[in-house]
């Protein structure tokens, strides 16, 4: 005896998957920051006439962590909105 999937079941499954993905992104981002900050030799510099921006090796970890945090916040916002 199986019941049909409702929108609540689908929302809960989607939220669970989104939180798992955001947790993995945050954990992997912290690992990337930890490993990247150990070796400060990798550097990307973008220069224009007035501005110089340095991207060091820990930046991919920061971006990955921010993506995970934004994904978690967006998921909570969508769940509260419903």
């Amino acid at each position: 005896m199986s019941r049909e999937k409702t929108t609540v079941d689908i929302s809960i499954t989607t939220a669970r998957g989104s939180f798992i993905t955001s947790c993995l992104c945050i954990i992997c981002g912290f690992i990337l920051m930890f490993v990247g900050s150990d070796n400060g030799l990798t550097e990307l510099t973008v220069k224009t006439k007035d501005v110089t921006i340095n991207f060091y090796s820990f930046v991919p970890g920061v971006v990955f962590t921010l993506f995970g945090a934004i994904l978690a916040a967006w998921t909570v916002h969508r769940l509260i909105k419903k």
Side-chain angles (χ1 to χ4, degrees):
M1 179 181 220
S2 66
R3 63 184 182 103
E4 292 184 30
K5 296 278 184 187
T6 63
T7 54
V8 173
D9 293 331
I10 294 170
S11 293
I12 290 173
T13 304
T14 304
R16 189 178 303 142
S18 181
F19 275 119
I20 290 170
T21 304
S22 65
C23 287
L24 285 174
C25 286
I26 291 170
I27 290 168
C28 289
F30 278 124
I31 291 171
L32 280 171
M33 280 190 287
F34 181 72
V35 171
S37 63
D38 227 10
N39 181 8
L41 302 176
T42 305
E43 177 181 347
L44 170 68
T45 304
V46 178
K47 294 181 182 180
T48 61
K49 285 190 262 182
D50 299 331
V51 179
T52 301
I53 301 173
N54 294 321
F55 296 102
Y56 295 99
S57 57
F58 64 89
V59 171
V62 172
V63 173
F64 220 74
T65 304
L66 284 176
F67 173 72
I70 290 169
L71 182 63
W74 179 77
T75 303
V76 169
H77 171 74
R78 296 286 295 176
L79 285 174
I80 290 173
K81 190 176 176 182
K82 288 184 178 184

